[in-house]
Amino acid sequence: MTKIHIESLQKQYGQQIALDIDQLNIEQGQLVGIVGNNGAGKTTLFRLLLDLIEPTKGSVLINEKPVAGNNHWKPHTGSYLDEGFLIDFLKPEEFFHFTGDLYGMTPKAIDERLELFSRFMSDEILGQKKYIRQFSTGNKQKVGIIAAMLVQPELLILDEPFNFLDPTSQILIKRMLKQENEARHTTMLISSHNLNHITEICTRIILLEKGKIIKDLTPESGDMKEIEQYFSVNAE
Amino acid sequence: MFYTLLRHGWLSFVRAHYFERSLGIKLLFGFVIFISLWYLFMIGLALPNLLENLFPEQYPHEAFFSLLLFVYGSELLARLFFQKVPRQRAINYLHLPVKKSFLARYTLIRSWFSGYNFFLLVFLVPFFMRTLYGPVSPEAFRNALLGCFLLSALNHSVGMVIKTRTAWKPSTLLAAGLLIAGLILAGYFFLEQLMAFSGQLGLALMKGNMWVFAGLVAVIGFLQLTIVQGLVKSFYTLSDQSAKSTEASLSGSFMEKLLAKVPVYGIFWELEWKLITRNKRARNNFYQWPLMLPILVYLFVYSPGEAFASMTPILMLFLGSYGINHLQFAFSWESRFFDLLATQNMSLQLFIRAKYFFYSLMALLQFFILLPFILWLNPDVFPLFTGLLLFAIGPAFCLLFFSGVSNSTRIDPNGKSFFNLEGTSGRLFISVLSIFFTLVPVYIVAWLLPMETMMGFSLAAGVTGLLFIIFNKQWVQAITNRFERTKYRNLNKYREK
């Protein structure tokens, strides 16, 4: 069971406010899409959620306990933001086993779990005799996403997971996220520039602009046109 | 376009992140270059007197000319190991509407400005000024200088031809190996003839022999043309990442499997082992330490005796060499993936402790290899070596971890091995230097102890080291806490590319 509560969270770089959220609650099992243009604060929000940067003020609570300076959230959180989440001198198999081992999974359980991702990997990841640094950007992205999902986390955070993936892989990853969310009630936070992907799978969409939440809605509420309009107006 | 590329090259140098970071490192770097060039200049001034004493029957310039081939042979060797081919700079332009042959010519011309082509002049100008300009003639001075510069250009061309070859066939490598071995043997068996030939070559250059100059220019010109062709071909390799895919064939070595089986720390030891064996810079660091062994053997063949106090810092440095070499960049080695480590279900304290035990074991391994030599050559120094080993594993490693927390520079463990300033800083320099000063209290205790000073020192160093080893859990925890406090700043810096 994973609930996130954000209270008066602010991140400032010099005079520039990168993120400023008064209050945000994310309930167990929600699949939340974070959208916004470049510099909206999506990655900053994720880094604050993962205690990778220090908030200027406010706090993030996971299951009512603060994230900052604590480790209680780590055993049930999986994440992939960028290549800083990969150990590039390992082969993918070694990386998956390293991650799984840290989460107490047996080698057999890791291999069984990896089989579920076999279509997503499409014979390009395992058994390649290559280090991660030698893979294409798209395949590195796949390795990172699989490692994050491998440990069956209660909370999954993915930054731009559809980037660099081919169309088939994009469809597969959407399907896997949806299945995982429905089967295990995994709380998921996913950012993307692609509205279609987000509206297709997310049960809640948060629109960020210059660090502030300006829309918080559900696709069912029929407000999606507002978001589409927001992006098209900004493009004009 | 040529000017634009040159300007980009200059900007990439002055805007390199290790230059941007610290004024201290800039000053230090400048100082080291200045001192090196100053020494070279002074050697050039002083060498004529030395040669006069060594070879009284010859003029100094004649004596130098007889060594010319060896000087330039060594220069070529240095180039082969250290000189970089600046072709990597071309990679960002390959997709632009710029001809590959233009980029190849640019890369070649850029390489002419390499310091390797000019540094010997700092020595040669004062040397020839003293031996040729006045004593022989200004023409001889000019000819000799130009001739030596052409020899540098020849070395540059040979080095570039070798380095721009995209792949070497095993048969070519074998032939090259045999050629080098043959040259070394020839140098050994025909030393006098080689020296005589070298002397004749030098004199021919000094006298401005047109045939020798023309021959050199022709060979250099031919090689330069070959380099352009080699560079164009090498650009294809640069842009073809799959060409590197054979690198990972060394899968699941015995050592990796063995380390993985170690309970609790095994997972981190295996990771550490892979880090040091699969990344160029870390690997080179690792393979350096067996080279320390002969130096250590040398150090105790000449027993430290009464002069031991001046040798102990160096001895300690060598005894803990691998750990000290590696741990000076503690945490920066992992800087590229520290975001991952910071979010994983793992204890940072366990991670640091695993690292500490790993490098302590490496130091012990190094010591056990050395032990038979110590006992055979000079058993009297055994207590001193043991005490200093314990001191290296204890306070020295602790200090390096402690300063590692403050070193938030990002480094690429797979970056180049030599002259790589990534991760260095004035602060790092001071912290490594401070390891030597930790021995001062040990000297004081040794002098106070009612026994022979060297034995007292060995005892004091050993006991201090043991105390740090016994209480490693406590100081590792303190370092963990310190890292947790500076975590955000460090992670932020680690992300800066």
Side-chain angles (χ1 to χ4, degrees), chain A residues 2 7 9 16 38 42 45 51 53 58 62 106 112 115 120 127-128 139 171 177 180 203 213 215 225 230 236:
Chain A
T2 303
E7 187 73 47
L9 188 66
Q16 195 186 350
N38 292 334
K42 303 185 292 289
L45 172 63
D51 192 30
I53 53 175
I62 291 183
T106 63
E112 280 172 5
E115 273 178 34
F120 184 55
Q128 296 300 302
N139 281 334
I171 292 167
L177 290 171
E180 194 77 4
T203 53
I213 296 176
K215 296 270 179 220
K225 279 194 178 140
Y230 167 82
E236 279 163 13

PDB file of all heavy atoms in Angstrom, chain A residues 2 7 9 16 38 42 45 51 53 58 62 106 112 115 120 127-128 139 171 177 180 203 213 215 225 230 236:
ATOM      1  N   THR A   2       0.751   2.053  -1.028  1.00  0.00           N
ATOM      2  CA  THR A   2       1.609   3.240  -1.135  1.00  0.00           C
ATOM      3  C   THR A   2       0.781   4.486  -1.421  1.00  0.00           C
ATOM      4  O   THR A   2       0.072   4.555  -2.429  1.00  0.00           O
ATOM      5  CB  THR A   2       2.642   3.050  -2.252  1.00  0.00           C
ATOM      6  OG1 THR A   2       3.385   1.881  -1.970  1.00  0.00           O
ATOM      7  CG2 THR A   2       3.585   4.225  -2.340  1.00  0.00           C
ATOM      8  N   GLU A   7       3.391  18.269   0.534  1.00  0.00           N
ATOM      9  CA  GLU A   7       2.924  19.418   1.314  1.00  0.00           C
ATOM     10  C   GLU A   7       3.863  20.605   1.094  1.00  0.00           C
ATOM     11  O   GLU A   7       5.061  20.503   1.393  1.00  0.00           O
ATOM     12  CB  GLU A   7       2.895  19.015   2.809  1.00  0.00           C
ATOM     13  CG  GLU A   7       2.281  20.018   3.737  1.00  0.00           C
ATOM     14  CD  GLU A   7       0.761  20.093   3.607  1.00  0.00           C
ATOM     15  OE1 GLU A   7       0.116  19.029   3.582  1.00  0.00           O
ATOM     16  OE2 GLU A   7       0.247  21.229   3.514  1.00  0.00           O
ATOM     17  N   LEU A   9       5.550  21.907  -1.208  1.00  0.00           N
ATOM     18  CA  LEU A   9       6.852  21.536  -1.763  1.00  0.00           C
ATOM     19  C   LEU A   9       7.359  22.598  -2.729  1.00  0.00           C
ATOM     20  O   LEU A   9       6.661  22.991  -3.665  1.00  0.00           O
ATOM     21  CB  LEU A   9       6.739  20.185  -2.483  1.00  0.00           C
ATOM     22  CG  LEU A   9       8.043  19.558  -2.951  1.00  0.00           C
ATOM     23  CD1 LEU A   9       8.921  19.166  -1.765  1.00  0.00           C
ATOM     24  CD2 LEU A   9       7.759  18.306  -3.797  1.00  0.00           C
ATOM     25  N   GLN A  16      15.194  31.302  -9.488  1.00  0.00           N
ATOM     26  CA  GLN A  16      14.208  30.614 -10.318  1.00  0.00           C
ATOM     27  C   GLN A  16      13.515  29.490  -9.545  1.00  0.00           C
ATOM     28  O   GLN A  16      14.178  28.632  -8.946  1.00  0.00           O
ATOM     29  CB  GLN A  16      14.906  30.034 -11.549  1.00  0.00           C
ATOM     30  CG  GLN A  16      13.928  29.633 -12.629  1.00  0.00           C
ATOM     31  CD  GLN A  16      14.615  28.924 -13.778  1.00  0.00           C
ATOM     32  OE1 GLN A  16      15.842  28.884 -13.852  1.00  0.00           O
ATOM     33  NE2 GLN A  16      13.827  28.366 -14.664  1.00  0.00           N
ATOM     34  N   ASN A  38       8.839  21.498 -21.738  1.00  0.00           N
ATOM     35  CA  ASN A  38      10.193  21.458 -21.165  1.00  0.00           C
ATOM     36  C   ASN A  38      10.326  22.519 -20.074  1.00  0.00           C
ATOM     37  O   ASN A  38       9.842  23.636 -20.237  1.00  0.00           O
ATOM     38  CB  ASN A  38      11.250  21.733 -22.241  1.00  0.00           C
ATOM     39  CG  ASN A  38      11.337  20.607 -23.247  1.00  0.00           C
ATOM     40  OD1 ASN A  38      11.013  19.468 -22.931  1.00  0.00           O
ATOM     41  ND2 ASN A  38      11.765  20.924 -24.453  1.00  0.00           N
ATOM     42  N   LYS A  42       8.752  18.516 -14.270  1.00  0.00           N
ATOM     43  CA  LYS A  42       8.403  17.086 -14.148  1.00  0.00           C
ATOM     44  C   LYS A  42       9.552  16.283 -13.519  1.00  0.00           C
ATOM     45  O   LYS A  42       9.342  15.573 -12.532  1.00  0.00           O
ATOM     46  CB  LYS A  42       8.088  16.489 -15.541  1.00  0.00           C
ATOM     47  CG  LYS A  42       6.976  17.206 -16.298  1.00  0.00           C
ATOM     48  CD  LYS A  42       6.649  16.508 -17.590  1.00  0.00           C
ATOM     49  CE  LYS A  42       7.739  16.578 -18.633  1.00  0.00           C
ATOM     50  NZ  LYS A  42       7.951  17.897 -19.248  1.00  0.00           N
ATOM     51  N   LEU A  45      10.189  17.170  -9.922  1.00  0.00           N
ATOM     52  CA  LEU A  45       9.218  16.531  -9.028  1.00  0.00           C
ATOM     53  C   LEU A  45       9.646  15.086  -8.737  1.00  0.00           C
ATOM     54  O   LEU A  45       9.647  14.645  -7.583  1.00  0.00           O
ATOM     55  CB  LEU A  45       7.821  16.564  -9.671  1.00  0.00           C
ATOM     56  CG  LEU A  45       6.736  15.772  -8.942  1.00  0.00           C
ATOM     57  CD1 LEU A  45       6.489  16.326  -7.541  1.00  0.00           C
ATOM     58  CD2 LEU A  45       5.428  15.766  -9.727  1.00  0.00           C
ATOM     59  N   ASP A  51      14.062  11.568  -3.358  1.00  0.00           N
ATOM     60  CA  ASP A  51      15.054  12.106  -2.421  1.00  0.00           C
ATOM     61  C   ASP A  51      16.432  12.270  -3.072  1.00  0.00           C
ATOM     62  O   ASP A  51      17.466  12.060  -2.436  1.00  0.00           O
ATOM     63  CB  ASP A  51      15.163  11.191  -1.183  1.00  0.00           C
ATOM     64  CG  ASP A  51      15.959  11.850  -0.050  1.00  0.00           C
ATOM     65  OD1 ASP A  51      15.924  13.083   0.043  1.00  0.00           O
ATOM     66  OD2 ASP A  51      16.606  11.120   0.722  1.00  0.00           O
ATOM     67  N   ILE A  53      17.183  15.212  -4.749  1.00  0.00           N
ATOM     68  CA  ILE A  53      17.514  16.620  -4.543  1.00  0.00           C
ATOM     69  C   ILE A  53      16.793  17.109  -3.288  1.00  0.00           C
ATOM     70  O   ILE A  53      15.781  16.530  -2.880  1.00  0.00           O
ATOM     71  CB  ILE A  53      17.155  17.508  -5.774  1.00  0.00           C
ATOM     72  CG1 ILE A  53      15.703  17.320  -6.198  1.00  0.00           C
ATOM     73  CG2 ILE A  53      18.076  17.232  -6.936  1.00  0.00           C
ATOM     74  CD1 ILE A  53      15.273  18.250  -7.330  1.00  0.00           C
ATOM     75  N   GLY A  58       9.103  22.519   2.330  1.00  0.00           N
ATOM     76  CA  GLY A  58       8.054  21.524   2.192  1.00  0.00           C
ATOM     77  C   GLY A  58       8.584  20.108   2.264  1.00  0.00           C
ATOM     78  O   GLY A  58       9.774  19.894   2.503  1.00  0.00           O
ATOM     79  N   ILE A  62       5.746   9.519   1.914  1.00  0.00           N
ATOM     80  CA  ILE A  62       5.246   8.273   1.336  1.00  0.00           C
ATOM     81  C   ILE A  62       4.778   7.429   2.516  1.00  0.00           C
ATOM     82  O   ILE A  62       5.532   7.203   3.471  1.00  0.00           O
ATOM     83  CB  ILE A  62       6.329   7.549   0.508  1.00  0.00           C
ATOM     84  CG1 ILE A  62       6.639   8.360  -0.757  1.00  0.00           C
ATOM     85  CG2 ILE A  62       5.858   6.141   0.129  1.00  0.00           C
ATOM     86  CD1 ILE A  62       7.635   7.735  -1.709  1.00  0.00           C
ATOM     87  N   THR A 106      15.489 -14.026  -5.577  1.00  0.00           N
ATOM     88  CA  THR A 106      16.425 -15.106  -5.894  1.00  0.00           C
ATOM     89  C   THR A 106      16.739 -15.053  -7.395  1.00  0.00           C
ATOM     90  O   THR A 106      15.935 -14.537  -8.181  1.00  0.00           O
ATOM     91  CB  THR A 106      15.812 -16.480  -5.577  1.00  0.00           C
ATOM     92  OG1 THR A 106      14.661 -16.647  -6.417  1.00  0.00           O
ATOM     93  CG2 THR A 106      15.416 -16.605  -4.120  1.00  0.00           C
ATOM     94  N   GLU A 112      12.633 -15.740 -13.937  1.00  0.00           N
ATOM     95  CA  GLU A 112      11.206 -15.961 -14.249  1.00  0.00           C
ATOM     96  C   GLU A 112      10.528 -14.641 -14.579  1.00  0.00           C
ATOM     97  O   GLU A 112       9.736 -14.540 -15.505  1.00  0.00           O
ATOM     98  CB  GLU A 112      10.510 -16.626 -13.048  1.00  0.00           C
ATOM     99  CG  GLU A 112      10.771 -18.117 -12.993  1.00  0.00           C
ATOM    100  CD  GLU A 112      10.253 -18.755 -11.704  1.00  0.00           C
ATOM    101  OE1 GLU A 112       9.596 -18.039 -10.892  1.00  0.00           O
ATOM    102  OE2 GLU A 112      10.526 -19.931 -11.516  1.00  0.00           O
ATOM    103  N   GLU A 115      11.297 -13.248 -17.994  1.00  0.00           N
ATOM    104  CA  GLU A 115      10.580 -13.878 -19.113  1.00  0.00           C
ATOM    105  C   GLU A 115       9.347 -13.073 -19.502  1.00  0.00           C
ATOM    106  O   GLU A 115       8.952 -13.039 -20.665  1.00  0.00           O
ATOM    107  CB  GLU A 115      10.169 -15.300 -18.732  1.00  0.00           C
ATOM    108  CG  GLU A 115      11.274 -16.313 -19.042  1.00  0.00           C
ATOM    109  CD  GLU A 115      10.890 -17.712 -18.633  1.00  0.00           C
ATOM    110  OE1 GLU A 115       9.694 -18.055 -18.720  1.00  0.00           O
ATOM    111  OE2 GLU A 115      11.798 -18.443 -18.214  1.00  0.00           O
ATOM    112  N   PHE A 120       9.051  -7.465 -24.973  1.00  0.00           N
ATOM    113  CA  PHE A 120       9.519  -6.072 -24.909  1.00  0.00           C
ATOM    114  C   PHE A 120      11.005  -5.989 -25.265  1.00  0.00           C
ATOM    115  O   PHE A 120      11.460  -5.056 -25.920  1.00  0.00           O
ATOM    116  CB  PHE A 120       9.260  -5.541 -23.495  1.00  0.00           C
ATOM    117  CG  PHE A 120       9.608  -4.087 -23.290  1.00  0.00           C
ATOM    118  CD1 PHE A 120       9.070  -3.098 -24.095  1.00  0.00           C
ATOM    119  CD2 PHE A 120      10.469  -3.703 -22.264  1.00  0.00           C
ATOM    120  CE1 PHE A 120       9.390  -1.760 -23.895  1.00  0.00           C
ATOM    121  CE2 PHE A 120      10.784  -2.369 -22.056  1.00  0.00           C
ATOM    122  CZ  PHE A 120      10.239  -1.396 -22.876  1.00  0.00           C
ATOM    123  N   GLY A 127      21.624 -11.837 -23.695  1.00  0.00           N
ATOM    124  CA  GLY A 127      22.518 -12.694 -24.482  1.00  0.00           C
ATOM    125  C   GLY A 127      23.267 -11.976 -25.584  1.00  0.00           C
ATOM    126  O   GLY A 127      23.707 -12.599 -26.542  1.00  0.00           O
ATOM    127  N   GLN A 128      23.434 -10.674 -25.459  1.00  0.00           N
ATOM    128  CA  GLN A 128      24.101  -9.910 -26.524  1.00  0.00           C
ATOM    129  C   GLN A 128      25.613  -9.786 -26.342  1.00  0.00           C
ATOM    130  O   GLN A 128      26.301  -9.283 -27.221  1.00  0.00           O
ATOM    131  CB  GLN A 128      23.510  -8.486 -26.591  1.00  0.00           C
ATOM    132  CG  GLN A 128      22.052  -8.438 -26.982  1.00  0.00           C
ATOM    133  CD  GLN A 128      21.801  -9.031 -28.344  1.00  0.00           C
ATOM    134  OE1 GLN A 128      22.361  -8.581 -29.326  1.00  0.00           O
ATOM    135  NE2 GLN A 128      20.980 -10.073 -28.393  1.00  0.00           N
ATOM    136  N   ASN A 139      17.472   0.891 -26.446  1.00  0.00           N
ATOM    137  CA  ASN A 139      17.642  -0.345 -25.677  1.00  0.00           C
ATOM    138  C   ASN A 139      18.117  -0.069 -24.253  1.00  0.00           C
ATOM    139  O   ASN A 139      17.767  -0.800 -23.329  1.00  0.00           O
ATOM    140  CB  ASN A 139      18.596  -1.289 -26.401  1.00  0.00           C
ATOM    141  CG  ASN A 139      17.899  -2.011 -27.543  1.00  0.00           C
ATOM    142  OD1 ASN A 139      16.680  -2.193 -27.527  1.00  0.00           O
ATOM    143  ND2 ASN A 139      18.649  -2.390 -28.554  1.00  0.00           N
ATOM    144  N   ILE A 171       3.793   0.422 -27.528  1.00  0.00           N
ATOM    145  CA  ILE A 171       2.504  -0.250 -27.279  1.00  0.00           C
ATOM    146  C   ILE A 171       2.677  -1.295 -26.180  1.00  0.00           C
ATOM    147  O   ILE A 171       1.863  -1.392 -25.253  1.00  0.00           O
ATOM    148  CB  ILE A 171       1.980  -0.898 -28.587  1.00  0.00           C
ATOM    149  CG1 ILE A 171       1.606   0.203 -29.576  1.00  0.00           C
ATOM    150  CG2 ILE A 171       0.783  -1.809 -28.311  1.00  0.00           C
ATOM    151  CD1 ILE A 171       1.360  -0.268 -30.994  1.00  0.00           C
ATOM    152  N   LEU A 177       2.376  -1.664 -18.324  1.00  0.00           N
ATOM    153  CA  LEU A 177       2.106  -0.738 -17.211  1.00  0.00           C
ATOM    154  C   LEU A 177       0.657  -0.881 -16.760  1.00  0.00           C
ATOM    155  O   LEU A 177       0.359  -0.938 -15.568  1.00  0.00           O
ATOM    156  CB  LEU A 177       2.399   0.704 -17.635  1.00  0.00           C
ATOM    157  CG  LEU A 177       3.874   1.078 -17.843  1.00  0.00           C
ATOM    158  CD1 LEU A 177       4.008   2.463 -18.469  1.00  0.00           C
ATOM    159  CD2 LEU A 177       4.635   1.039 -16.521  1.00  0.00           C
ATOM    160  N   GLU A 180       0.156  -4.229 -14.935  1.00  0.00           N
ATOM    161  CA  GLU A 180       0.787  -4.204 -13.610  1.00  0.00           C
ATOM    162  C   GLU A 180      -0.063  -3.378 -12.642  1.00  0.00           C
ATOM    163  O   GLU A 180      -0.252  -3.746 -11.493  1.00  0.00           O
ATOM    164  CB  GLU A 180       2.194  -3.601 -13.749  1.00  0.00           C
ATOM    165  CG  GLU A 180       3.111  -3.799 -12.579  1.00  0.00           C
ATOM    166  CD  GLU A 180       3.712  -5.204 -12.502  1.00  0.00           C
ATOM    167  OE1 GLU A 180       3.478  -6.009 -13.405  1.00  0.00           O
ATOM    168  OE2 GLU A 180       4.375  -5.474 -11.485  1.00  0.00           O
ATOM    169  N   THR A 203      -4.981   7.107 -15.161  1.00  0.00           N
ATOM    170  CA  THR A 203      -6.272   7.318 -14.520  1.00  0.00           C
ATOM    171  C   THR A 203      -6.366   8.747 -13.977  1.00  0.00           C
ATOM    172  O   THR A 203      -7.395   9.161 -13.479  1.00  0.00           O
ATOM    173  CB  THR A 203      -6.462   6.321 -13.360  1.00  0.00           C
ATOM    174  OG1 THR A 203      -5.322   6.428 -12.494  1.00  0.00           O
ATOM    175  CG2 THR A 203      -6.576   4.906 -13.872  1.00  0.00           C
ATOM    176  N   ILE A 213       1.151  23.216 -10.497  1.00  0.00           N
ATOM    177  CA  ILE A 213       0.095  22.366 -11.062  1.00  0.00           C
ATOM    178  C   ILE A 213      -1.022  23.290 -11.550  1.00  0.00           C
ATOM    179  O   ILE A 213      -1.602  24.045 -10.763  1.00  0.00           O
ATOM    180  CB  ILE A 213      -0.463  21.392  -9.994  1.00  0.00           C
ATOM    181  CG1 ILE A 213       0.652  20.425  -9.552  1.00  0.00           C
ATOM    182  CG2 ILE A 213      -1.660  20.623 -10.530  1.00  0.00           C
ATOM    183  CD1 ILE A 213       0.261  19.487  -8.441  1.00  0.00           C
ATOM    184  N   LYS A 215      -3.487  21.990 -13.859  1.00  0.00           N
ATOM    185  CA  LYS A 215      -4.653  21.130 -14.110  1.00  0.00           C
ATOM    186  C   LYS A 215      -4.419  19.803 -13.408  1.00  0.00           C
ATOM    187  O   LYS A 215      -3.300  19.285 -13.385  1.00  0.00           O
ATOM    188  CB  LYS A 215      -4.822  20.835 -15.611  1.00  0.00           C
ATOM    189  CG  LYS A 215      -5.109  22.026 -16.476  1.00  0.00           C
ATOM    190  CD  LYS A 215      -6.589  22.278 -16.601  1.00  0.00           C
ATOM    191  CE  LYS A 215      -6.787  23.517 -17.464  1.00  0.00           C
ATOM    192  NZ  LYS A 215      -7.858  24.359 -16.946  1.00  0.00           N
ATOM    193  N   LYS A 225      -9.741  17.780 -23.577  1.00  0.00           N
ATOM    194  CA  LYS A 225      -9.662  18.806 -24.624  1.00  0.00           C
ATOM    195  C   LYS A 225      -8.976  20.060 -24.093  1.00  0.00           C
ATOM    196  O   LYS A 225      -8.263  20.739 -24.823  1.00  0.00           O
ATOM    197  CB  LYS A 225     -11.058  19.139 -25.131  1.00  0.00           C
ATOM    198  CG  LYS A 225     -11.530  18.117 -26.153  1.00  0.00           C
ATOM    199  CD  LYS A 225     -12.727  18.589 -26.903  1.00  0.00           C
ATOM    200  CE  LYS A 225     -13.093  17.518 -27.919  1.00  0.00           C
ATOM    201  NZ  LYS A 225     -14.511  17.344 -28.023  1.00  0.00           N
ATOM    202  N   TYR A 230      -4.439  23.538 -24.289  1.00  0.00           N
ATOM    203  CA  TYR A 230      -3.317  24.204 -23.606  1.00  0.00           C
ATOM    204  C   TYR A 230      -2.038  24.102 -24.429  1.00  0.00           C
ATOM    205  O   TYR A 230      -1.337  25.074 -24.660  1.00  0.00           O
ATOM    206  CB  TYR A 230      -3.109  23.562 -22.224  1.00  0.00           C
ATOM    207  CG  TYR A 230      -1.801  23.951 -21.565  1.00  0.00           C
ATOM    208  CD1 TYR A 230      -1.674  25.147 -20.865  1.00  0.00           C
ATOM    209  CD2 TYR A 230      -0.686  23.113 -21.658  1.00  0.00           C
ATOM    210  CE1 TYR A 230      -0.468  25.495 -20.282  1.00  0.00           C
ATOM    211  CE2 TYR A 230       0.516  23.461 -21.074  1.00  0.00           C
ATOM    212  CZ  TYR A 230       0.621  24.650 -20.380  1.00  0.00           C
ATOM    213  OH  TYR A 230       1.814  24.993 -19.804  1.00  0.00           O
ATOM    214  N   GLU A 236       1.194  28.169 -30.592  1.00  0.00           N
ATOM    215  CA  GLU A 236       0.881  29.225 -31.568  1.00  0.00           C
ATOM    216  C   GLU A 236       1.747  30.467 -31.353  1.00  0.00           C
ATOM    217  O   GLU A 236       2.197  30.731 -30.274  1.00  0.00           O
ATOM    218  CB  GLU A 236      -0.599  29.602 -31.462  1.00  0.00           C
ATOM    219  CG  GLU A 236      -1.489  28.613 -32.223  1.00  0.00           C
ATOM    220  CD  GLU A 236      -2.955  28.727 -31.803  1.00  0.00           C
ATOM    221  OE1 GLU A 236      -3.332  29.696 -31.123  1.00  0.00           O
ATOM    222  OE2 GLU A 236      -3.718  27.816 -32.149  1.00  0.00           O
TER     223      GLU A 236
END
